[in-house]
Amino acid sequence: MPIRSPASRTGRPRSATADAAILAATRAALVELGWSKLTLGDVATRAGVAKTTLYRRWAGKNELVVDAVAELFDELELPDSGSLAADIEGVVLQFAAILARPEAKSGLMAVVTEATRDDALRSRIRASVVDRQKRLVVEGRSRAQERGELPPETDPAAASRTEDLIFDMVAGAVVHRTLVSGEPVDEEWVRGFTLVLLRGLAGETAHPAAG
Amino acid sequence: MPIRSPASRTGRPRSATADAAILAATRAALVELGWSKLTLGDVATRAGVAKTTLYRRWAGKNELVVDAVAELFDELELPDSGSLAADIEGVVLQFAAILARPEAKSGLMAVVTEATRDDALRSRIRASVVDRQKRLVVEGRSRAQERGELPPETDPAAASRTEDLIFDMVAGAVVHRTLVSGEPVDEEWVRGFTLVLLRGLAGETAHPAAG
DNA sequence: GGCATTACGCTACGACTCGTAGCGAAAGCC
DNA sequence: GGCTTTCGCTACGAGTCGTAGCGTAATGCC
C-alpha cells in the first residue's frame, strides 16, 4: 500500500494504472538488475512515470519492493486435498514455485535483510507477506486436528508456540533450500521433507530417540 | 580471503594487521549502519587505511562482507555430549547465538541475497560459511548412527539427500525464526524443534521418497 | 462553466558514493 | 644500494539520491 493521501475526496485522483505499472516495472527491474543495482529512476522510466511520482507514493526502495513482491503471494492458497501430507506438499510446492522466481528471491530476501534494522519495514513485510503464509499453517493444522491426523492442543499458548514452530520449519527449510543451498524444491525433496515433518509432529508413529 | 597478489616473494609485504583491522571495521560498520548504508570509504576510515588499499584487496562490498562475517563462524563446534538430542540442541544454540548478532544478521543475509545473481559469490559463501555448518550435520549424524540413535543409510546418494534435508531444516528453521519471525531462539524453542526433528528422523528409511 | 484542490510530468539541483588513476614514500628481499 | 610491491593521499568523472519548483491535467463542488 502506497503512502496515503490525506483522505481528500477532491482534486485529481491518483492513477490506478500507474500503481500497477510501477509495481510491474519494479519486478521487471528486480529480475534484470537485482536488488542492489535497482534504482528508482530506472523503475520510473520503465513504468512510464516521472521519478517524482514514485517518491510521492512510496517512502523509498524498501517499501516499494515489499509491495511489488507481496503481489506475488496473492495466488497462495491452501489446497483441500483431504490429507495433511498432501496439504503440506501442495503448500510447499506453491511457496517454492513463487520463491523460485528471480524477482521473489532477490526482492523478498533483500527487504527481509533491511528489516533487521527497520521495525516499520518489518511490520510491513509481516502484514503483506508473512501473515498470509502463516494463515495457511494455522488453517491446515486445524483441519488436520479435526481429521485426527494431529493430536489436539488445548492450551492456547502451547498451540501458538507449535504454530510458530511449524511455520518456521516449513518456510525456513524451503527458503534455505532455495537460497542458501541453491537446490530446487522438487517433488522428491518435498516428499522427504513432509515425511520427516509429519512424523515429528504426530509423535505417535515413531518413538522419540531417547537414550 | 582477499585478492591474491601474483605470487611475488619480493617487494613490500601486505600488512596483516591491516587485514584484521579492515574486517573488524567492516563488522563494526555493519552493526552501526547495516548493509545498505555501509560504504567502503567509511570502512577504510574506521580501519585507518586508505580506500585504495581496500580496493586492492577485495573486489567489492560483497566479498569484503563475506570475509568479515565468515570469521564469526570460526567458533562453531560440534559438542560431544553423547546424545544426539543434546548435540543438536548445542549446535542450534551456538548457531543462533552467532546469528543473533546484528553484524551477522544484516551481513550474512545481505550477501546471500546478492549471491542469487552472482555464482562466484555463492561459491565464496559456500566455502567460507555454509560448508563449515554442514560439516557439523554430517559428523553429528554419523556419530548418532554409530550409537544407533539414527538408522544407518547404505546408499550414498540417499544419505547425501538426507544430509541436505537435515541441513536445510536445521539452518532454515533457525534463520527463519531469527530473521523473519523475529523471535529469539531460546532453549524452550530449541527443545521443541529438536523433539520434532528427531522424531521425524528416527523412522527414516533408506528410500524415504518411495511410495 | 468556473473554482479550488490534488496529482502529474519535467527540469534542475547539491550532496553523496563509486571505482580508478597517478604520485611520492615506505618496507621488505637480493 | 637497487629492485619490487604496497601504502597513503589526492583528485577525478560518472552515477544515484531525494527534493524543489513550475506549469499542466484531472477531478469534485458550486
Side-chain angles (χ1 to χ4, degrees), chain B:
Chain B
M1 304 258 271
I3 298 175
R4 298 195 172 281
S5 48
S8 62
R9 302 168 183 275
T10 173
R12 174 178 178 174
R14 282 191 178 168
S15 162
T17 42
D19 259 18
I22 290 171
L23 293 178
T26 303
R27 287 188 291 269
L30 276 176
V31 174
E32 251 181 67
L33 308 172
W35 163 264
S36 58
K37 293 185 179 176
L38 181 148
T39 71
L40 294 195
D42 180 66
V43 170
T45 305
R46 288 171 190 262
V49 302
K51 190 175 65 163
T52 44
T53 298
L54 240 160
Y55 278 102
R56 289 188 189 105
R57 303 193 184 195
W58 282 276
K61 192 169 161 177
N62 292 337
E63 289 77 8
L64 173 64
V65 171
V66 171
D67 289 1
V69 172
E71 287 191 338
L72 296 175
F73 291 87
D74 284 343
E75 51 192 76
L76 209 54
E77 279 181 8
L78 181 64
D80 196 1
S81 51
S83 113
L84 177 56
D87 279 2
I88 293 180
E89 291 179 5
V91 167
V92 167
L93 283 174
Q94 279 186 67
F95 182 48
I98 296 174
L99 210 61
R101 301 167 72 170
E103 65 269 36
K105 279 189 205 175
S106 44
L108 183 59
M109 291 312 294
V111 292
V112 167
T113 303
E114 292 296 309
T116 59
R117 328 199 85 255
D118 184 340
D119 289 336
L121 186 63
R122 163 169 304 201
S123 301
R124 199 189 187 93
I125 297 173
R126 193 183 302 274
S128 59
V129 179
V130 178
D131 281 350
R132 233 184 295 186
Q133 300 169 17
K134 197 166 179 178
R135 206 168 300 141
L136 301 185
V137 170
V138 175
E139 192 175 335
R141 182 158 180 264
S142 162
R143 285 189 198 168
Q145 286 174 334
E146 289 175 8
R147 288 192 298 250
E149 290 181 283
L150 285 182
E153 214 158 7
T154 51
D155 180 8
S160 171
R161 281 200 301 271
T162 306
E163 277 163 15
D164 289 349
L165 177 61
I166 297 175
F167 180 51
D168 286 328
M169 288 185 74
V170 173
V174 174
V175 169
H176 196 272
R177 168 92 175 166
T178 304
L179 293 183
V180 179
S181 298
E183 301 285 337
V185 176
D186 51 20
E187 293 199 6
E188 181 183 7
W189 186 88
V190 173
R191 272 196 294 271
F193 169 75
T194 305
L195 189 64
V196 172
L197 180 67
L198 276 189
R199 274 203 300 238
L201 290 174
E204 190 78 17
T205 63
H207 299 282

Side-chain angles (χ1 to χ4, degrees), chain A residues 113-130:
Chain A
T113 302
E114 292 296 309
T116 59
R117 328 199 85 256
D118 184 339
D119 290 335
L121 186 62
R122 163 168 305 199
S123 301
R124 198 188 186 92
I125 296 174
R126 194 182 302 274
S128 60
V129 179
V130 178

Side-chain angles (χ1 to χ4, degrees), chain A residues 5 8 11-12 15 50 52-53 56-57:
Chain A
S5 47
S8 62
R12 175 177 177 175
S15 162
T52 44
T53 298
R56 288 188 190 105
R57 303 195 184 192

Side-chain angles (χ1 to χ4, degrees), chain A residues 100-183:
Chain A
R101 301 168 73 170
E103 65 268 37
K105 280 189 204 175
S106 44
L108 182 58
M109 292 311 293
V111 293
V112 168
T113 302
E114 292 296 309
T116 59
R117 328 199 85 256
D118 184 339
D119 290 335
L121 186 62
R122 163 168 305 199
S123 301
R124 198 188 186 92
I125 296 174
R126 194 182 302 274
S128 60
V129 179
V130 178
D131 281 349
R132 233 184 297 186
Q133 301 168 16
K134 197 166 180 180
R135 206 168 300 142
L136 300 186
V137 170
V138 175
E139 191 174 337
R141 181 158 179 263
S142 162
R143 285 190 198 168
Q145 286 175 334
E146 289 175 8
R147 289 191 297 249
E149 292 182 280
L150 284 180
E153 214 158 6
T154 51
D155 180 10
S160 171
R161 280 200 301 272
T162 307
E163 277 164 13
D164 289 349
L165 177 62
I166 297 174
F167 179 51
D168 285 328
M169 287 185 75
V170 174
V174 173
V175 170
H176 197 274
R177 167 94 176 164
T178 304
L179 293 183
V180 180
S181 298
E183 302 284 337

